[in-house]
Amino acid sequence: RMQVQKVVLNSRPGNDGAPVPGNFRLEETTLAPDLKDGEVLVRTLCLSVDPYMRCRMNEDTGVDYVTPWQLSECVDGGGVGVVESSLCSTCSEGDVVTSFNWPWQTNAVVKGSALQKVDPQMVDGRLSYFLGAVGITGLTALLGVREKGNVTKGANQTMVVSGAAGACGSVAGQIGRLDGCVRVVGICGSDEKCKALVDELGFSAAINYRREDVPTRLKECCPDGIDVYFDNVGGAISDAVITQMNADSHVVLCGQISQYNKDVPYPPPLSDEITETLRRRNVTRERFTVLNYMNKAEASLCELGQLVQSGQINVLETVVNGIENMGDAFCSMMTGGNIGKQIIKISE
């Protein structure tokens, strides 16, 4: 039998809604060595923590496409690993595979049908990219901009991205630039992040909302108003952006992390004033759920792979080592401790 470590949900967040590392618990367990037909033994290489997981900590996630984590059961999410043995016709030993529902374990026995095989050459061997820029996060950024952003080459458009130094926002801004926006302005929470957006990712400007006055800085950075807003945060920051949006502009409603610890529906309600601004200026604001566009996933992931390999998209990551740090990494990500995708490296 094989000794493995796993992370289980120890408790749900308290009344203030903020997750703490103690909501997660590390346990030792053993795996039976004999596989059943269709099963695969995988070794975990990298795991992902993402904002949407906060709703999985609640008894009711509030959305129909994500299930809650169960108390004292193994937590799961985006993961990438390698097949160590297989009784599944579609997986062979040595294959690199990924899944949205990868168990937070050092090794696991899973159904082969739940895994997608990936080609390491597509990311020059940087396998964590399959969880970020060349995975579901990159897909969310690319398809969000393309399906809801209405970016038009030659139209002199300005894009604003909130949560711009996060896994999704950092790619979305680069897609906006590549697709023809003349100005891409990122909003984030530290000077270090601002510097990364401008110096490493080619954003035109960046605003530190913790230190700067967002409405004033938006006016300076977006003299022609705002045509596309890729929204990852909601709340007061989004209200400030929407107030400066042009007629017939578009909000890509990707996420609302500022509200995730609160007991409000998704998407959270807007004030009457902001609702009226949207109506008066004919601003479209439709929520975007990438899972509704999976028919475009394969082609889009190939495109993202090419953009990353050719250096047209730069990838930022924050990496911590060890399954024992999953809870810390999750809570850090929820409070903006990461720059780019938060990855936890489990094994080499």
Side-chain angles (χ1 to χ4, degrees), residues 17-64:
V20 293
N23 294 140
F24 301 93
R25 182 172 80 239
L26 189 65
E27 291 186 351
E28 301 273 333
T29 186
T30 55
L31 291 183
D34 41 340
L35 298 175
K36 297 190 188 73
D37 198 40
E39 286 184 337
V40 177
L41 172 68
V42 289
R43 176 165 55 87
T44 307
L45 295 168
C46 301
L47 295 170
S48 167
V49 288
D50 301 282
Y52 80 87
M53 292 175 166
R54 174 61 190 81
C55 70
R56 299 194 70 187
M57 297 182 81
N58 299 336
E59 274 176 71
D60 176 4
T61 63
V63 290
D64 54 10

Side-chain angles (χ1 to χ4, degrees), residues 28 125 165 168 179 186 188 195 204 207 221 256 322 340 348:
E28 301 273 333
C168 188
D179 281 3
C188 60
K195 190 169 164 34
S204 325
I207 300 170
C221 300
Q256 302 278 282
E348 289 296 338

Side-chain angles (χ1 to χ4, degrees), residues 104-155:
W104 288 12
Q105 290 186 189
T106 47
N107 287 81
V109 173
V110 293
K111 287 194 176 73
S113 57
L115 302 171
Q116 290 85 46
K117 187 178 170 179
V118 288
D119 175 8
Q121 285 188 299
M122 196 167 156
V123 291
D124 292 330
R126 289 172 288 200
L127 301 180
S128 57
Y129 286 12
F130 288 125
L131 302 178
V134 191
I136 193 77
T137 326
L139 215 47
T140 303
L142 179 95
L143 292 171
V145 171
R146 299 256 171 100
E147 299 293 326
K148 301 285 187 187
N150 288 69
V151 174
T152 317
K153 273 203 164 49

